Amino acid sequence: MSRRAEKRAEQADRLAELRAREELGVLRAGAGAARPGKSGRNKAPGEDGGGRNGGRKGRKGRKESGSRPRELFVPPRGWYGPGGGRVGYLDPPTMWRATTVQACGMWPFAAGSGSPMTGVPLGQHLFTGATVCGDPLNWFTRARYISNPSLFMLGMPGLGKSTLVNRMLIGLSATGVVPLVLGDLKPDYADTVRALGGQVISIGRGRGGINVLDPGAMGAAAARIGGEAGEVLKAETHGRVLNMVAALITIVRGRPMDDHEQSVLSAVLHHLRERTPPGRTVLLPDVLRVLAEGPDRVRAVTLDRGDDARYRDAVDPLHRSLLGILDGPLGDTFASETSTRIDPAAPAVCIDISGIGEADTQLTAAAMLAAWSDGLGTVAASHALADAGLEPRRWFFTVLDELWRPLRAASGIVDRIDALTRLNRSLGLGDAKITHTLKDAEALGTDADRAKARGFVERAGMVVCAGLPKAEMEDLGKVVGLSRREIELVSSWSSPPGWGVTGEHEEPPGRGRFLIKVGGRPGIPIKVAITDAERRLHNTNTRWTPNENAVERAVEQELAHTAAQVARAAQEGAYAMPGVPGGPVAGGDAGRWTA
């Protein structure tokens, strides 16, 4: 109930109370006049016959006293004053959402909800029980609640962040939006994408690789479009490939490339594009070959002036870094052709990099950046084809999970992520960035990188908070504006589960609870209850779940093996079976086999 409605109810209660008290006074006065022996001050008006209207008033009092008294009106919240039973607050009723078929007897006698109802159904309001719907794309396109179709989610591990994003993926896919999970680390989303009929691509040593020089979907779209628009798309493809190779070199070096090295690399890529026959893709070993040959186009940007020593001094650092990509910690993941290209017509895409070891931080960051570059290139190609009238318009929703891992890989990576994700509004692209705390940004090496990483939160249209410590929430409140009540509420969700005295599984109090913040508006606290289908598709603790079938098979195999050994030993006469009298017993362990 709003404050205005509550005030009107209080005024109505006061008016009803005054009328009831007035009626009570009239009834008491009439009853006192009918009783003999009462003092004059208790007589009803007109009882003594005085005044012009005394007789009429006395007759009215005698009439009311002689008739049956009416029941007094009691305000629904009780009387004001001590002992009146006044109720200051009424718990709001639980709100339910249903169609006219499900609740046909109640239609149209229904009241609207104060919770947003546009977008994917996320859960129930924590206090009212009303259904809460929302996602970055629908709140940007339909409801106009946000000005940027992006979501930034923070929270401690194990509280359901990826579960909520999985629900958004399923709901958006049902409306025609294409989910893109560009770098699934656990994996959290591969099973969901498979259930949606999408494409799952595995990346890792021995599993599959990405050729960062492959133009991919953008190159195919440029050839299909042709003309001036096709040339523009080719130029964008060249810039995207250049940025991706520069990002890999940044990871290997631990620092960004120099400006003249980027010029040399750009000249090498142009040289290769012009001289590579159609149908053959350029690989990183080809870049090394061109640097070793030193064609005139590449020498021109090094300012060698015909001096071979000056040329080698200019290109050798770049040459060494490329060798580090091919033969160093990144292995052969980026040395060969792309194992599986992204299908632009797939209903959903997941690039699974869970096969990369947890400690292999450089390869993880490189694989994530390569997946993002390839995926966003596919988005740009789809929109270019739609602009040319060759394909229908499609919207995309990307998931960038575990954002802290590429941020910590090397200095300057935040620039690459910023460049890849800043223009999502103009690309017809919604995104969700997921990490644990704001301290993931504070752990970066330079002040500039920390400021850019904080900008991810500031530019997000929606900020979703799971359980976080109070200190973390206070830091976040300086960025998005949180009230003291909101800080205390989300901080309470970070408490650990209670001690399970009954032996039953105790869940953390904050699991499935989130606070949705949009600008300076009050936050929307929700609780998410997953369905059985979602529970089967999504389990981030699969490594901690025993495989019952495998355990049973192992026990059966062990029993069969033991039985075979015992039977063979009994046939050879080496042991006497327990409980079986007679038979020879040999060896020092004979006592273990005798009854």
Side-chain angles (χ1 to χ4, degrees):
M1 181 183 292
S2 64
R3 181 59 183 167
R4 182 177 298 177
E6 186 176 0
K7 189 174 182 179
R8 286 199 296 265
E10 290 180 357
Q11 292 175 349
D13 290 351
R14 285 183 178 274
L15 182 60
E17 180 182 357
L18 292 175
R19 291 175 178 174
R21 289 184 183 276
E22 183 179 358
E23 293 179 2
L24 180 63
V26 170
L27 292 177
R28 284 178 177 175
R35 295 192 190 118
K38 291 290 183 182
S39 61
R41 56 185 175 89
N42 292 328
K43 293 180 181 181
E47 180 71 15
D48 55 357
R52 186 176 57 181
N53 297 326
R56 182 169 57 85
K57 290 182 180 180
R59 289 191 299 272
K60 180 179 180 182
R62 288 191 297 273
K63 182 179 180 180
E64 290 186 357
S65 63
S67 63
R68 182 179 179 180
R70 292 180 298 173
E71 294 183 0
L72 298 180
F73 172 78
V74 178
R77 294 193 180 189
W79 299 97
Y80 282 95
R86 178 69 179 172
V87 178
Y89 176 76
L90 294 177
D91 292 333
T94 301
M95 298 183 182
W96 300 91
R97 184 184 184 187
T99 65
T100 55
V101 175
Q102 296 168 326
C104 55
M106 299 176 63
W107 180 263
F109 306 104
S113 169
S115 302
M117 302 292 286
T118 303
V120 177
L122 300 180
Q124 292 179 294
H125 196 285
L126 196 60
F127 302 138
T128 66
T131 302
V132 177
C133 303
D135 60 81
L137 270 73
N138 283 292
W139 280 16
F140 173 73
T141 58
R142 295 171 57 196
R144 303 291 182 181
Y145 293 151
I146 57 180
S147 59
N148 187 19
S150 62
L151 178 148
F152 199 96
M153 184 177 293
L154 304 98
M156 297 177 65
L159 296 183
K161 300 187 298 298
S162 54
T163 300
L164 183 62
V165 175
N166 254 299
R167 175 165 292 185
M168 289 186 184
L169 293 186
I170 297 172
L172 288 172
S173 177
T175 63
V177 177
V178 181
L180 299 175
V181 184
L182 305 177
D184 196 356
L185 287 158
K186 292 183 180 178
D188 288 340
Y189 309 94
D191 290 339
T192 301
V193 171
R194 289 191 186 96
L196 295 174
Q199 181 186 28
V200 178
I201 302 172
S202 297
I203 300 297
R205 292 190 178 94
R207 296 172 176 264
I210 295 179
N211 178 16
V212 294
L213 303 183
D214 188 355
M218 292 185 71
R224 184 178 175 185
I225 294 171
E228 183 179 355
E231 293 300 322
V232 171
L233 193 58
K234 286 183 180 179
E236 293 181 3
T237 305
H238 174 80
R240 187 174 294 276
V241 169
L242 179 62
N243 285 334
M244 190 59 237
V245 178
L248 293 182
I249 294 175
T250 300
I251 291 174
V252 172
R253 287 184 177 179
R255 63 175 181 84
M257 290 179 63
D258 297 329
D259 54 352
H260 71 276
E261 291 179 319
Q262 296 193 33
S263 300
V264 171
L265 182 59
S266 178
V268 171
L269 294 177
H270 279 300
H271 176 83
L272 287 171
R273 299 290 183 204
E274 294 171 358
R275 286 163 176 75
T276 302
R280 182 184 179 276
T281 57
V282 180
L283 302 175
L284 280 179
D286 297 329
V287 177
L288 293 176
R289 177 177 51 81
V290 173
L291 288 176
E293 293 174 355
D296 293 339
R297 181 167 187 172
V298 178
R299 286 178 176 271
V301 298
T302 62
L303 302 178
D304 67 327
R305 296 181 176 87
D307 187 351
D308 191 66
R310 288 172 59 91
Y311 172 75
R312 294 302 169 191
D313 291 340
V315 301
D316 279 352
L318 177 60
H319 201 153
R320 284 192 294 268
S321 297
L322 291 172
L323 285 174
I325 294 176
L326 297 177
D327 300 327
L330 304 187
D332 59 350
T333 307
F334 306 101
S336 58
E337 294 200 16
T338 301
S339 56
T340 305
R341 288 188 176 183
I342 294 177
D343 182 8
V349 176
C350 173
I351 299 181
D352 182 6
I353 61 174
S354 60
I356 302 175
E358 185 74 19
D360 204 345
T361 56
Q362 288 188 332
L363 181 56
T364 299
M368 290 186 74
L369 286 175
W372 295 352
S373 180
D374 196 12
L376 295 181
T378 303
V379 172
S382 175
H383 287 304
L385 291 171
D387 293 339
L390 301 176
E391 293 287 345
R393 180 75 65 191
R394 305 176 80 194
W395 291 345
F396 299 85
F397 181 65
T398 61
V399 178
L400 312 179
D401 205 347
E402 301 292 342
L403 189 63
W404 61 273
R405 295 185 67 173
L407 287 178
R408 294 184 182 180
S411 176
I413 289 296
V414 65
D415 292 324
R416 303 300 172 184
I417 299 175
D418 186 60
L420 289 173
T421 60
R422 180 178 285 270
L423 299 177
N424 56 344
R425 183 169 61 90
S426 60
L427 289 175
L429 174 74
D431 73 273
K433 304 181 187 71
I434 308 172
T435 189
H436 294 152
T437 68
L438 279 183
K439 285 187 169 56
D440 295 334
E442 298 299 328
L444 298 179
T446 64
D447 293 337
D449 285 351
R450 287 191 288 269
K452 292 171 186 174
R454 284 193 297 268
F456 295 157
V457 186
E458 295 170 353
R459 291 195 304 271
M462 299 170 60
V463 177
V464 179
C465 304
L468 284 171
K470 190 172 183 179
E472 296 285 348
M473 290 301 299
E474 290 177 349
D475 292 340
L476 182 62
K478 299 175 183 177
V479 180
V480 298
L482 295 168
S483 67
R484 178 56 53 182
R485 179 71 183 96
E486 291 170 344
I487 291 175
E488 293 175 353
L489 177 65
V490 179
S491 300
S492 66
W493 297 340
S494 64
S495 303
W499 301 109
V501 295
T502 61
E504 298 180 355
H505 177 66
E506 295 285 342
E507 288 193 349
R511 178 170 293 175
R513 285 167 170 76
F514 303 91
L515 180 71
I516 303 175
K517 286 289 293 185
V518 175
R521 298 180 180 180
I524 305 173
I526 66 171
K527 57 180 178 180
V528 179
I530 62 174
T531 62
D532 292 337
E534 290 175 306
R535 189 175 291 106
R536 288 192 299 269
L537 290 175
H538 180 67
N539 181 12
T540 58
N541 296 324
T542 53
R543 297 294 175 86
W544 294 93
T545 303
N547 190 339
E548 300 295 344
N549 295 331
V551 172
E552 291 177 1
R553 286 196 301 268
V555 171
E556 291 174 358
Q557 292 174 0
E558 183 67 23
L559 289 175
H561 179 67
T562 303
Q565 284 183 334
V566 171
R568 186 166 53 253
Q571 290 176 359
E572 296 174 355
Y575 299 99
M577 295 294 293
V580 180
V585 177
D589 293 334
R592 300 178 184 176
W593 293 92
T594 56

